Amino acid sequence: MASLKALKIRINSVKSTQKITKAMKMVAAAKLRRATEAAEASRPYAERLEAVVSSIASKVSVGPQSPKLLVGSGKNDVHLFVVATSDKGLAGAFNTNIVRLARRQAEALKAEGKTVKFYTIGKKGKDQLARTYRNDIIHSIEPGDLGKLTFADVQGWGGDLTARFEASEFDVAHLLFSKFVSVLTQEPTAIQLMPVAVATDGTVPSVGASVEYEPDEEEILADLLPRNVSVQL
């Protein structure tokens, strides 16, 4: 049986641990709150820009001088999957669900005779995809501390992807990520990143008003299309 002194030491040790874990919980809650606010604050801008780009693109007559980000390569043979995950684990199925979606869509395209390449953002996605598609990963990025990540960093990634697209390394790029719904719910999502997706069924995303553009639509698109790639990333 433990002595009274040993029990007192144990009690003090448990109390000290409680203080430390309480402090850690407060720090984690603050970080989570900032991350939640950042995710929710950036989404309206990204969605509105995508709607504006689609709206302008639907009004443009496609021709030889049209930006490649708008018209594409004219082919649909090589697909690039930009898979965005985290650098760290201990996040439940957060990373696994994104990778599972990437694998499912990649296998479906391969069954159609397409070529699929991967561009990974985040160490966890790279590690999981490398088990099956090691030779298909053309580039990988490990952002590190997301708290220090800036839009300038993402613009660099967007510029690299745009340059690869202009160089005809792939025909279509898809962005695969986890869409934030709530702290407990994130939905694995895939969107077409390049070329810009334009509605072909007559439905165009509303921008909320009838707009006349100055300068003309082609000149505006030349500036907005590369920016839209970075904003969606």
Side-chain angles (χ1 to χ4, degrees):
M1 183 175 178
S3 65
L4 182 60
K5 182 178 180 180
L7 289 173
K8 287 182 177 180
I9 292 174
R10 181 68 181 274
I11 291 171
N12 289 334
S13 176
V14 171
K15 287 182 177 179
S16 296
T17 302
Q18 286 177 330
K19 291 179 181 179
I20 294 172
T21 53
K22 184 177 181 180
M24 293 173 65
K25 181 180 179 180
M26 293 174 64
V27 171
K31 288 184 175 180
L32 178 60
R33 183 171 60 253
R34 288 197 299 269
T36 301
E37 291 172 352
E40 292 178 339
S42 62
R43 183 178 300 164
Y45 180 73
E47 292 177 347
R48 175 63 69 172
L49 180 59
E50 186 176 25
V52 168
V53 169
S54 296
S55 177
I56 298 175
S58 68
K59 297 178 173 64
V60 171
S61 298
V62 175
Q65 303 302 318
S66 298
K68 190 173 182 180
L69 282 172
L70 173 63
V71 299
S73 63
K75 297 184 292 183
N76 186 32
D77 299 328
V78 182
H79 291 249
L80 179 70
F81 281 18
V82 183
V83 183
T85 58
S86 70
D87 272 351
K88 298 179 181 179
L90 298 178
F94 177 84
N95 296 305
T96 303
N97 286 340
I98 302 171
V99 173
R100 184 180 294 120
L101 175 63
R103 284 176 173 158
R104 185 167 64 247
Q105 295 199 357
E107 291 305 317
L109 286 171
K110 287 188 174 185
E112 297 175 7
K114 312 294 185 183
T115 299
V116 179
K117 300 179 181 179
F118 294 91
Y119 188 110
T120 63
I121 302 174
K123 185 176 184 298
K124 290 299 178 179
K126 175 190 173 184
D127 291 346
Q128 292 189 36
L129 287 169
R131 299 170 190 166
T132 311
Y133 306 106
R134 180 177 299 275
N135 296 330
D136 298 324
I137 299 176
I138 64 172
H139 189 66
S140 59
I141 299 169
E142 295 181 15
D145 187 354
L146 294 178
K148 297 179 180 178
L149 187 66
T150 66
F151 184 63
D153 296 319
V154 182
Q155 280 184 308
W157 308 344
D160 180 42
L161 283 166
T162 301
R164 291 173 183 270
F165 183 62
E166 296 286 351
S168 300
E169 289 189 23
F170 54 89
D171 302 317
V172 183
H174 310 269
L175 176 61
L176 295 95
F177 61 100
S178 191
K179 182 177 181 179
F180 179 84
V181 178
S182 69
V183 173
L184 297 178
T185 306
Q186 299 87 33
E187 297 177 349
T189 305
I191 62 173
Q192 183 170 312
L193 190 63
M194 294 183 280
V196 62
V198 180
T200 58
D201 57 0
T203 60
V204 178
S206 172
V207 295
S210 177
V211 180
E212 291 187 3
Y213 296 98
E214 178 67 32
D216 59 27
E217 288 90 343
E218 288 83 356
E219 190 172 343
I220 294 174
L221 278 177
D223 180 71
L224 281 187
L225 287 171
R227 177 179 291 273
N228 184 55
V229 171
S230 299
V231 168
Q232 299 310 319
L233 283 175

